[in-house]
Amino acid sequence: MSLSLVLIAIALALLSSALSLGAGREVRIVRLVATPLIGLSGLLACTAGLGILATGNSLETVLPLGLPWLPWHVRLDALSGFFLILLGLVTAAVGLYGSSYIRDLEHGRDSIAALGVFTGLFLAGMELVLIAADAFVFMVAWELMSLASYFLVAFHHEHAANRRAAFLYLLIAHLGGLAILLSFGVLAAFGAGFGFESMRAAPLSSTWASVVFILAFIGFGAKAGLVPLHAWLPQAHPVAPSHISALLSAVMLKVAVYGFIRVVLDLMGEVQWQWGVAMLVVGGASALVGVLFALVQTDLKRLLAYSSVENLGVIFIALGLAVLFLSTGHPLHGALALGAGLYHALNHALFKGLLFLGAGAILHSAHERDLEQMGGLLRRMPWTGSLFLVGSLSISALPPFNGFVSEWLIFQSALQSWQIDSGVLRSLIPIAAAVLALTGALVAATFVKVYGVAFLGQARSRHVRRAREVTPAMQISQGILAALCILLGVLPTAMIELIDQVSAQVLHLGLLQTSAGGWLWLTPISPDAASYSAPLTLVLLVSLMAGIVWWLRHRIPRRIRRCDPWDCGFAPPSPRMQYSATGFAQPVRRVFAFFFDSEEARLDPLEPAPRYRLRLDEPSWRLFYRPLAQATYTAARWIVRLQSGNLRIYLGWTLGTLLILLWIVS
Amino acid sequence: MSLLSWYVACIQALLILGLAPLLIGWVRRVRAFLQNRRGAPVFQPYLDLYKLMLKETRVGHTASPLFRAAPYAIFVSTWLAAATVPLIALDLPTAWIADIIALVGLLALGRFFLALAGMDVGTAFGGMGASREMLVSALAEPAMLMAIFTLAMTAHSTNLVSVMESHLADGFILRPSYLFAFFALILVALAECGRIPIDNPTTHLELTMIHEAMLLEYTGHHLALMELAAWIKLLLYGVLLANVFLPWGVGQGLDPLTLGRGLGILILKLAILGVALAVGETVLAKMRLFRVPLFLNLAFLLALLGLLSHVILEVGS
Amino acid sequence: MTLNALTLLQQFLILLAGLSLFVSFILIAQPRLVAAIHSFAWQGVLVSALTLTAAMTNQAPPLYFSAGLTLVLKGLFIPWLLHRLALRLGLEGHSETLRWPELVLLAGVFLVIFSYWLVEPMVERELIFTRNIIAVSLAVVLLGFLMMVFRTQAVAQVLGFMSMENGLFLAAVSATTGMPMVVELGVAFDVLVAAVLFGVFFFQIRESIDSLDVDRLNRLAETPDVEPMLSEEIGE
């Protein structure tokens, strides 16, 4: 039942794609039929996921597709179900939002039909990845997802920068795809078969297991945008249309997380502690680099994309903790860390989707992505502004919103490191937690900057001053995600019971204590060790606030008078006197100067119009990509010597290769 | 969790409101004495609050609704955070609602709104204060959490009540980790409460302000709430230092005599801390902004060494 | 092993070891030279106090003598000597900033973890208490070395060297209740001579390169690429 729902969802996504293809000149079809179909497909996927998590069993079938000796196996289990819920919730909101959003694009130069076609294919690819049960289907769906998203990134292809971003994305996606393919290759060789079932039974030596892990980590890490393979992400995600950016950041990165969990925790099972350390290091670096670069951005969508790097880093820290606990024989705490990571994945999907939709709303109504031009939008777009505030509070991990719950769970599992025997791991894990704490505080700074500069203060440009509230459909779709953020923040126990099914399936045990104290209390280890009651926190916050407002009204009735701002008695403030986004980030940029390749040039202040220029580059280009490109180039130059142009030499190489192959085979 | 303990929790929450102005008045008084000034009476902050409550409240033309909601959010989140710290009685049901990580989160929630409120009117100083506040907090928060982790890993719990109980059960033990964490938390408290050498609470000198810069546009009862929230925060850190590291004296029962004794000892501890703070503020000079990271690095190093010395020196496998 | 199982004196021993480690970090990060010399004096006092405590816990009378010797030599005399040298070299206001203090401190933290990792499998379960202090001593040695790598000022490097010696002494005291008295006297004498010799060297270095920045010592190398630089400076 659930599985056929997913198949229907995939069919709907493909139908949406086909309809867009056939739309031709009637571009309204894309807006009125194809995009809502996307939302419907998401809704079905979500329902299927909920269904499978509620029952807790797994369903599989064989599709009459593919090669004759290699039919397509699909399987829906708890892990797929969880990620289908994540995908479905965001996609449903995006479908609702997109049909209003692309109205603006209809008058542009870019082909709406192409947008519809590739959105459908992209969604179908992601859904198929989640239910694939053999390496063949997985890779086909994975490449479908990658290629379709390439065309979506290249949607506004008239700008050379966008084409370059799309190409970089395609390049890294394919290198990653290659690594994934190789990791499946090793698993298939030992397990004698492409099906996940036979891979699970593969007897791997610890060296080969590490090889599989490294390949999978590179492949899925590249897709998830982990440092140092993250360079494509902040370039590719912002240039797509905003609802697609939401899908890319909120969902596609999570599909990479899904793939990683599937291969490392499900297919391999036996984990080694060195992997956990590697994940902690890479995750910590991604979190820190991501948030620092997010903080200094002035392009809102690029800022959100960097923040995705950060959040994926946090998810991998949690997964790394899970691997460490599992490898040192504490499966219960491993399950807790895995649950925390999954919870954060879901949370990130919701609030990052919400924030990208909010950024899209600003883009839609003010035609502006640059923070330096924004300001005062809360009064012009009150609904978008309030919902964006919810997103900002959630992503900054503040109670009682959902980001806090997952961060709290990660801290709790990190604090269980005293149980590990090895002293080195015991001292390394808290350092990872400290990185997480630093990251959390910097995220708060980032979103204070975003919200303060974009929504508060006064408008910094004319077109932003003219911004108006977006259509109800766009408001509602943001509202859905915001409501889910609050719901998951306030009632975490319900969600954790669903996640429990995943760890029950992957690790064969659940979190015993999490809701020991009832739905009101979150007690992951034991009620004595740690407890957090989100509902009570919310109730206390709201009731105290209401009480104080009431008390003040009742006791000292008064009017509030409007006046000019004081600002220490200087001239009445003009919009140009406000702190800019660059200025806000300057102290942090200076303190963490080590992480930036910056070039700052101030012209003579005595000039009539002095200008300040700042260029920020990522050291990863200097330290990683350029040397890599250089090495590739050198290797190519060496290999090109074979290309002498003499036919007999080519034949000689072929003969030599043939002889070597025959020797290997014999 | 009996009904009586909830009553006591309410009393403690109200006691926080009562004690916070007293502590700040005491610190100001001692400071004035050390600086050969006469100074205002200890109870002056109460009168200040009363005065602000009666004054007319003004809001800038350019302010959004968030500006008016922020004082309530800041006050309530800080108060709720303070209400989860055992003050005079150990058996505190509110400590189960929010453990110590949630306490840090609640403080961060208040700070988030404080910084937003600073940016709301669109003045230059507000943005400056917000930017600096977020820098200081970004560096202070990891140090604070590391110090807390040291406590939590020793007690195997992040619940303040459990931490204090396990500390009391162990009796007096010389722990290098606690010593390091204690000093780290002192440095963090100075930074978070905007005291010298990080920020000067009495200044209105434009370019050195951090906390004050964000309050510039507030008047009347809004300002009263913001000020009270800042004082509660000082009290909260004082109680954390006094009660968590030196839990002796906190009432372990709920009878009036124990509570009264707890209150007496708490006031004594806070008075000593207040004197130490006043002496420190008299002796030290304010740092310039870009020295602050070094200061907080020291706090982080102390907290990290606390954790390492816990792992290396205090437990063995 | 838990801390409650130890006597108060042993707890005090652990506390002192932790504090010595902290002073090592301060030494690395302290930009002002005179303050760094004072921190070094404090480390000497801490090591001496630790020796005294070890003497009391282990009932080892020779350690009383070592404690006194350490206090006089490392807590008072050598710091005084270095302080006087710094004054005579006109370095009382000297301060040098590390380029990335956070990263150096982080490297220090990893050295601490590394030394724990080295020592962890070394000894039997009954000796965990000793082993933990040895880990700290090793960390103090490595941190002294780290300081010598990252500080460019010659006097600061000498401080790093001396604090390495402090670490070795710490290890000796905690592991074997002190070295044989002859060795100890010999080492103390060596350190003393080293301090005096370093003082002489400081003047020599300053005379030949006009600075105590050890990075400039490479000018003394006879590699061809340094030559133009020299002639350039002479030209100025």
Side-chain angles (χ1 to χ4, degrees):
Chain A
M1 170 63 194
S2 298
L3 187 56
S4 39
L5 271 183
V6 184
L7 294 176
I8 295 171
I10 295 175
L12 280 181
L14 291 174
L15 177 66
S16 146
S17 176
L19 277 176
S20 310
L21 192 64
R25 284 177 175 277
E26 275 300 308
V27 288
R28 276 183 311 168
I29 291 181
V30 178
R31 171 159 58 90
L32 296 176
V33 185
T35 314
L37 273 181
I38 294 288
L40 193 61
S41 164
L43 218 52
L44 284 182
C46 178
T47 319
L50 280 174
I52 203 74
L53 281 190
T55 56
N57 50 11
S58 61
L59 307 163
E60 51 192 315
T61 185
V62 180
L63 294 185
L65 288 167
L67 304 174
W69 67 92
L70 204 64
W72 286 18
H73 295 85
V74 291
R75 180 161 186 262
L76 181 62
D77 55 15
L79 184 61
S80 320
F82 175 77
F83 279 90
L84 278 173
I85 294 176
L86 181 157
L87 173 140
L89 289 176
V90 180
T91 312
V94 164
L96 185 59
Y97 180 95
S99 43
S100 296
Y101 184 78
I102 59 178
R103 189 177 205 144
D104 247 21
L105 302 174
E106 282 178 1
H107 311 296
R109 287 163 46 192
D110 307 300
S111 158
I112 289 290
L115 181 66
V117 170
F118 290 114
T119 310
L121 286 178
F122 177 48
L123 183 63
M126 290 197 292
E127 285 168 347
L128 193 55
V129 167
L130 292 182
I131 58 166
D134 65 49
F136 184 60
V137 184
F138 189 95
M139 285 318 294
V140 167
W142 184 267
E143 292 299 333
L144 181 65
M145 174 181 94
S146 292
L147 281 175
S149 54
Y150 161 74
F151 287 104
L152 293 173
V153 169
F155 178 64
H156 293 295
H157 53 79
E158 64 274 23
H159 296 297
N162 295 0
R163 291 199 299 272
R164 218 170 33 241
F167 176 70
L168 183 66
Y169 169 51
L170 192 66
L171 185 70
I172 295 187
H174 274 87
L175 289 178
L178 194 64
I180 297 171
L181 192 62
L182 288 175
S183 77
F184 276 135
V186 176
L187 279 174
F190 281 94
F194 284 101
F196 283 173
E197 216 38 71
S198 52
M199 287 184 184
R200 242 174 236 123
L204 285 177
S205 69
S206 72
T207 321
W208 280 109
S210 293
V211 169
V212 173
F213 168 78
I214 290 169
L215 287 169
F217 196 30
I218 291 175
F220 293 112
K223 197 72 179 173
L226 295 183
V227 167
L229 291 173
H230 67 295
W232 61 275
L233 198 154
Q235 298 197 16
H237 282 196
V239 299
S242 297
H243 64 296
I244 302 297
S245 307
L247 276 186
L248 287 169
S249 254
V251 184
M252 191 184 74
L253 301 181
K254 305 305 160 355
V255 175
V257 174
Y258 162 81
F260 184 79
I261 295 177
R262 177 66 82 195
V263 170
V264 172
L265 292 181
D266 186 24
L267 296 189
M268 293 210 284
E270 287 287 310
V271 290
Q272 298 170 18
W273 66 267
Q274 292 92 336
W275 306 353
V277 173
M279 288 162 72
L280 280 191
V281 170
V282 171
S286 305
L288 205 53
V289 168
V291 71
L292 282 172
F293 274 88
L295 184 55
V296 298
Q297 299 304 315
T298 54
D299 178 333
L300 178 54
K301 286 178 73 179
R302 180 178 279 242
L303 184 151
L304 293 177
Y306 268 115
S307 143
S308 293
V309 175
E310 178 259 325
N311 277 290
L312 266 290
V314 172
I315 293 170
F316 271 82
I317 288 179
L319 295 180
L321 287 175
V323 168
L324 278 179
F325 282 119
L326 288 174
S327 61
T328 49
H330 298 91
L332 263 181
H333 301 108
L336 172 63
L338 176 67
L342 290 175
Y343 206 112
H344 195 74
L346 179 59
N347 288 341
H348 177 243
L350 295 175
F351 53 62
K352 191 49 66 68
L354 171 60
L355 292 171
F356 261 118
L357 296 189
I362 298 175
L363 192 58
H364 185 77
S365 94
H367 303 286
E368 193 56 76
R369 270 165 53 181
D370 186 5
L371 281 173
E372 306 288 23
Q373 307 295 324
M374 295 182 192
L377 284 170
L378 179 59
R379 276 176 297 159
R380 292 178 180 82
M381 306 166 73
W383 279 105
T384 305
S386 315
L387 298 173
F388 202 91
L389 182 63
V390 173
S392 303
L393 288 166
S394 307
I395 200 172
S396 305
L398 297 173
F401 294 91
N402 60 352
F404 179 74
V405 177
S406 46
E407 201 137 313
W408 188 82
L409 286 172
I410 297 175
F411 277 134
Q412 290 299 346
S413 57
L415 278 173
Q416 296 309 307
S417 59
W418 60 270
Q419 307 228 1
I420 293 180
D421 283 334
S422 154
V424 178
L425 292 183
R426 264 206 321 260
S427 40
L428 274 180
I429 292 176
I431 293 180
V435 171
L436 196 60
L438 177 63
T439 309
L442 286 171
V443 172
T446 308
F447 282 88
V448 164
K449 170 184 124 163
V450 170
Y451 201 79
V453 171
F455 286 94
L456 305 179
Q458 303 178 55
R460 291 172 174 82
S461 65
R462 196 185 299 150
H463 45 280
V464 169
R465 203 167 297 137
R466 289 207 201 109
R468 258 186 279 136
E469 189 55 276
V470 290
T471 60
M474 288 166 81
Q475 288 173 25
I476 291 170
S477 52
Q478 294 178 57
I480 294 170
L481 292 178
L484 285 169
C485 280
I486 296 175
L487 197 68
L488 282 187
V490 177
L491 293 173
T493 37
M495 193 63 223
I496 283 180
E497 266 165 31
L498 286 184
I499 291 180
D500 224 18
Q501 298 288 339
V502 180
S503 51
Q505 180 231 323
V506 177
L507 309 174
H508 310 294
L509 55 95
L511 308 162
L512 297 174
Q513 296 268 352
T514 314
S515 44
W519 62 275
L520 210 52
W521 301 93
L522 189 60
T523 50
I525 296 117
S526 71
D528 253 354
S531 57
Y532 167 58
S533 171
L536 286 181
T537 309
L538 182 75
V539 165
L540 281 176
L541 280 174
V542 171
S543 60
L544 283 177
M545 215 174 327
I548 291 165
V549 171
W550 178 82
W551 186 75
L552 283 176
R553 284 268 161 81
H554 176 73
R555 272 329 236 336
I556 329 167
R558 100 205 66 213
R559 268 180 333 123
I560 289 181
R561 208 144 61 106
R562 290 277 178 173
C563 63
D564 280 335
W566 179 44
D567 201 22
C568 276
F570 286 89
S574 81
R576 283 175 56 91
M577 283 168 66
Q578 299 174 87
Y579 240 52
S580 65
T582 313
F584 190 94
Q586 191 264 354
V588 174
R589 206 180 69 227
R590 189 165 152 183
V591 171
F592 292 93
F594 171 76
F595 289 89
F596 302 103
D597 276 358
S598 63
E599 193 184 315
E600 209 173 351
R602 255 163 295 194
L603 298 186
D604 185 9
L606 295 176
E607 268 186 37
R611 289 188 72 80
Y612 169 81
R613 275 189 299 124
L614 172 70
R615 226 191 73 212
L616 285 172
D617 274 333
E618 280 206 44
S620 64
W621 284 100
R622 175 169 53 85
L623 296 174
F624 182 73
Y625 290 98
R626 295 232 174 80
L628 196 67
Q630 193 61 44
T632 317
Y633 189 66
T634 316
R637 277 230 301 239
W638 190 78
I639 289 171
V640 88
R641 284 187 205 156
L642 305 179
Q643 195 87 357
S644 61
N646 188 332
L647 182 65
R648 286 187 299 118
I649 291 183
Y650 291 161
L651 289 173
W653 282 115
T654 317
L655 177 63
T657 315
L658 187 66
L659 289 179
I660 291 172
L661 282 178
L662 285 174
W663 177 59
I664 289 175
V665 169
S666 66
Chain B
M1 274 181 259
S2 60
L3 199 59
L4 182 62
S5 64
W6 281 98
Y7 283 129
V8 175
C10 289
I11 293 172
Q12 296 201 45
L14 292 176
L15 205 58
I16 289 166
L17 290 187
L19 279 179
L22 191 65
L23 177 64
I24 198 81
W26 168 248
V27 173
R28 286 180 186 167
R29 178 80 204 197
V30 176
R31 223 173 113 176
F33 172 77
L34 289 171
Q35 294 167 350
N36 283 332
R37 291 187 283 120
R38 187 177 293 156
V42 176
F43 294 98
Q44 185 65 34
Y46 296 102
L47 302 176
D48 286 347
L49 280 185
Y50 184 65
K51 176 188 75 184
L52 286 173
M53 283 291 180
L54 290 184
K55 286 212 170 218
E56 185 186 48
T57 303
R58 289 185 161 212
V59 172
H61 286 305
T62 48
S64 69
L66 192 138
F67 186 80
R68 291 173 60 175
Y72 300 100
I74 296 164
F75 174 71
V76 167
S77 57
T78 316
W79 191 22
L80 188 59
T84 62
V85 185
L87 203 63
I88 53 173
L90 196 56
D91 182 16
L92 183 68
T94 43
W96 306 99
I97 295 179
D99 70 345
I100 193 153
I101 301 175
L103 181 151
V104 176
L106 283 170
L107 287 179
L109 180 69
R111 189 188 311 120
F112 195 88
F113 276 102
L114 180 65
L116 284 185
M119 297 184 81
D120 189 34
V121 180
T123 58
F125 288 128
M128 187 186 77
S131 162
R132 292 179 176 177
E133 171 83 8
M134 294 321 283
L135 171 74
V136 171
S137 70
L139 297 172
E141 214 175 281
M144 168 134 187
L145 276 173
M146 288 308 269
I148 287 171
F149 284 179
T150 311
L151 293 173
M153 285 181 76
T154 312
H156 300 164
S157 166
T158 55
N159 191 304
L160 271 179
V161 174
S162 308
V163 170
M164 286 164 68
E165 270 172 353
S166 89
H167 199 162
L168 280 172
D170 277 351
F172 180 74
I173 292 183
L174 275 177
R175 289 183 193 276
S177 60
Y178 269 33
L179 194 71
F180 287 132
F182 182 71
F183 281 105
L185 207 57
I186 286 182
L187 300 188
V188 169
L190 288 177
E192 289 272 8
C193 297
R195 309 303 298 190
I196 287 176
I198 302 298
D199 184 14
N200 187 347
T202 56
T203 189
H204 278 271
L205 198 65
E206 290 86 354
L207 293 175
T208 63
M209 297 184 286
I210 298 180
H211 184 252
E212 287 298 312
M214 292 180 286
L215 306 189
L216 268 183
E217 301 299 328
Y218 276 104
T219 51
H221 69 280
H222 287 158
L223 184 59
L225 286 176
M226 301 274 248
E227 292 281 9
L228 188 54
W231 299 341
I232 290 177
K233 205 167 165 183
L234 184 69
L235 180 77
L236 161 65
Y237 277 97
V239 175
L240 267 186
L241 289 169
N243 275 1
V244 177
F245 288 92
L246 305 164
W248 296 279
V250 180
Q252 280 169 291
L254 290 175
D255 51 306
L257 198 67
T258 323
L259 293 183
R261 207 188 49 163
L263 182 62
I265 294 177
L266 176 76
I267 289 177
L268 191 70
K269 286 181 194 167
L270 285 178
I272 296 170
L273 273 179
V275 171
L277 178 63
V279 171
E281 295 208 320
T282 312
V283 177
L284 294 173
K286 188 185 164 306
M287 287 176 172
R288 65 192 166 86
L289 184 67
F290 286 103
R291 301 276 299 176
V292 170
L294 292 181
F295 180 85
L296 290 171
N297 266 351
L298 179 65
F300 185 66
L301 176 70
L302 277 168
L304 205 56
L305 280 182
L307 202 91
L308 285 181
S309 52
H310 170 71
V311 171
I312 295 179
L313 287 172
E314 294 174 11
V315 288
S317 45
Chain C
M1 182 202 87
T2 52
L3 219 51
N4 335 31
L6 301 177
T7 62
L8 201 61
L9 270 179
Q10 281 175 318
Q11 291 173 20
F12 191 60
L13 207 65
I14 284 180
L15 184 70
L16 288 173
L19 286 176
S20 322
L21 188 64
F22 175 61
V23 176
S24 272
F25 275 98
I26 293 293
L27 269 174
I28 290 183
Q30 177 57 260
R32 294 206 191 93
L33 193 60
V34 175
I37 293 173
H38 291 169
S39 318
F40 172 71
W42 279 112
Q43 195 174 41
V45 173
L46 283 172
V47 171
S48 149
L50 195 140
T51 318
L52 190 66
T53 320
M56 280 150 78
T57 42
N58 297 332
Q59 311 290 335
L63 279 182
Y64 287 108
F65 178 73
S66 317
L69 190 68
T70 314
L71 180 67
V72 172
L73 207 60
K74 291 192 198 123
L76 300 171
F77 182 70
I78 294 180
W80 172 79
L81 201 67
L82 287 171
H83 195 182
R84 212 176 63 116
L85 267 174
L87 291 188
R88 278 183 55 196
L89 289 162
L91 292 173
E92 61 268 34
H94 181 88
S95 82
E96 62 168 322
T97 39
L98 289 173
R99 200 161 144 68
W100 303 115
E102 302 89 355
L103 293 186
V104 177
L105 290 182
L106 206 63
V109 168
F110 278 106
L111 283 185
V112 176
I113 297 176
F114 176 73
S115 46
Y116 185 48
W117 178 71
L118 279 185
V119 174
E120 203 181 6
M122 243 163 61
V123 284
E124 305 274 315
R125 285 191 86 81
E126 300 83 63
L127 293 171
I128 282 168
F129 169 70
T130 317
R131 177 203 64 190
N132 290 347
I133 295 185
I134 289 179
V136 170
S137 326
L138 185 58
V140 170
V141 173
L142 294 179
L143 287 173
F145 222 132
L146 190 74
M147 180 173 175
M148 286 172 71
V149 171
F150 277 98
R151 299 291 286 250
T152 55
Q153 225 277 340
V155 182
Q157 288 197 315
V158 170
L159 285 180
F161 176 78
M162 298 280 178
S163 94
M164 276 173 74
E165 207 277 332
N166 275 345
L168 288 176
F169 186 75
L170 219 68
V173 167
S174 52
T176 64
T177 62
M179 297 174 263
M181 192 48 73
V182 185
V183 180
E184 199 161 295
L185 278 176
V187 170
F189 184 69
D190 279 352
V191 169
L192 195 61
V193 170
V196 175
L197 276 183
F198 281 131
V200 177
F201 269 123
F202 290 152
F203 285 100
Q204 291 288 333
I205 293 173
R206 198 175 60 158
E207 211 152 278
S208 47
I209 61 169
D210 271 342
S211 160
L212 279 176
D213 187 342
V214 291
D215 280 359
R216 300 209 184 176
L217 280 173
N218 57 8
R219 284 196 214 173
L220 301 176
E222 289 180 16
T223 46
D225 58 337
V226 185
E227 286 303 320
M229 200 179 87
L230 265 181
S231 54
E232 215 174 76
E233 281 188 3
I234 292 163
E236 281 170 11

